[in-house]
């Protein structure tokens, strides 16, 4: 009888110990699952940020001088190939001139990189991996320039400029040039035009202007 009681007691202790181990393991597993779930939910979708910025009409704060008067449109494009898209908003005056805003994402927030007024719209050069900024005036013989810029740390930096100056020998002709921050050289008209051979024009989508 005593042996039976001892065996019964040992069995009960074993059951209790197994229950404690099982409970501890369950707690650890649940804790790990909670951490993984939290980390996944903290990932920010840049496209959602840009789309929310558009759908909420938050851009109207920046386009206030053009609201209700000119047609607004937007384009989304990854201009520096870092996997995160940037946003362009354009106000078309109907004369060839446009006011444009370039936005980027900085610390999970939309930030204004550049506001620009010029003739034409922003374009992208595939060969130069650069944004072509439109000139601030309507180009004419002997007077044109185009800035090719790159986006670095949410700042638009000029990579180089191409343009045309008047030809002193003939008023009806122009001399083309290529210029960086520390050099300037003459180029031919064919070389000048070649910089635009592979340009990409953005797809613009209309949005509310008020």
């Amino acid at each position: 009888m005593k042996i039976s009681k001892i065996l019964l007691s040992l069995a009960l202790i074993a059951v209790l110990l197994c229950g404690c181990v099982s409970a501890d393991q369950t707690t650890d597993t649940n804790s790990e699952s909670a951490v993984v779930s939290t980390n996944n939910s903290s990932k920010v979708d840049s496209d959602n940020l840009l789309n929310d910025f558009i759908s909420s009409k938050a851009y109207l704060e920046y386009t206030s001088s053009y609201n209700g008067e000119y047609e607004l449109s937007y384009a989304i494009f990854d201009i520096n190939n870092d996997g995160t898209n940037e946003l362009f908003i354009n106000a078309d005056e109907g004369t060839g001139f446009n006011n444009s805003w370039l936005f980027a994402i900085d610390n999970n927030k939309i930030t204004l990189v550049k506001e620009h007024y010029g003739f034409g719209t922003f374009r992208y050069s595939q060969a130069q991996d650069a944004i072509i900024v439109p000139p601030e005036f309507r180009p004419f013989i002997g007077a044109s320039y185009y800035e090719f810029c790159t986006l670095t740390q949410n700042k638009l930096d000029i990579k180089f400029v191409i343009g045309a100056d008047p030809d002193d020998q003939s008023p009806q002709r122009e001399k083309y040039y290529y210029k960086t921050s520390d050099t300037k050289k003459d180029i031919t008209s064919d070389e000048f035009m070649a910089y635009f051979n592979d340009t990409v024009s953005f797809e613009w989508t209309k949005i509310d202007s008020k």
Side-chain angles (χ1 to χ4, degrees):
M1 180 68 69
K2 288 183 178 180
I3 294 174
S4 298
K5 287 183 178 180
I6 291 172
L7 292 174
L8 179 60
S9 298
L10 291 173
L12 288 172
I13 290 171
V15 169
L16 289 173
L17 288 174
C18 289
C20 291
V21 171
S22 177
D24 289 342
Q25 289 176 341
T26 302
T27 301
D28 290 343
T29 302
N30 289 340
S31 176
E32 290 178 5
S33 297
V35 170
V36 171
S37 176
T38 301
N39 289 339
N40 286 339
S41 64
S42 66
K43 292 181 180 178
V44 177
D45 187 330
S46 60
D47 286 345
N48 283 342
L49 279 176
L50 296 176
N51 289 328
D52 288 346
F53 184 77
I54 295 166
S55 62
S56 66
K57 299 184 181 181
Y59 59 85
L60 292 177
E61 174 186 347
Y62 300 89
T63 62
S64 55
S65 357
Y66 291 84
N67 293 345
E69 185 175 359
Y70 297 103
E71 181 179 281
L72 296 182
S73 55
Y74 78 92
I76 292 177
F77 196 86
D78 183 4
I79 63 176
N80 56 355
N81 294 309
D82 65 348
T84 300
N85 285 326
E86 283 73 42
L87 169 68
F88 292 90
I89 291 183
N90 189 69
D92 186 353
E93 293 190 351
T95 60
F97 286 92
N98 299 265
N99 203 84
S100 303
W101 297 262
L102 169 59
F103 297 91
I105 296 176
D106 184 25
N107 292 325
N108 300 334
K109 294 182 179 179
I110 306 294
T111 182
L112 177 65
V113 175
K114 183 179 180 64
E115 179 178 0
H116 180 77
Y117 182 82
F119 186 76
T121 60
F122 284 94
R123 289 175 289 170
Y124 176 71
S125 168
Q126 297 182 87
Q128 302 300 325
D129 191 20
I131 289 297
I132 305 174
V133 179
E136 295 178 354
F137 56 85
R138 187 190 300 268
F140 56 93
I141 294 178
S144 65
Y145 73 97
Y146 296 89
E147 296 175 345
F148 285 64
C149 300
T150 56
L151 182 67
T152 307
Q153 295 182 341
N154 291 331
K155 180 183 177 183
L156 210 56
D157 296 320
I158 299 175
K159 185 177 181 180
F160 63 87
V161 178
I162 59 171
D165 289 330
D167 189 336
D168 297 333
Q169 305 301 318
S170 174
Q172 300 304 315
R173 299 181 62 183
E174 49 191 357
K175 298 184 298 183
Y176 299 95
Y177 65 84
Y178 169 98
K179 182 173 69 173
T180 64
S181 58
D182 55 4
T183 186
K184 183 178 181 179
K185 65 178 183 179
D186 292 336
I187 58 176
T188 66
S189 60
D190 288 341
E191 290 173 326
F192 175 85
M193 295 305 299
Y195 282 101
F196 301 100
N197 286 343
D198 65 341
T199 57
V200 175
S201 296
F202 302 135
E203 287 186 21
W204 297 95
T205 302
K206 294 181 181 179
I207 49 177
D208 291 338
S209 61
K210 57 182 179 178

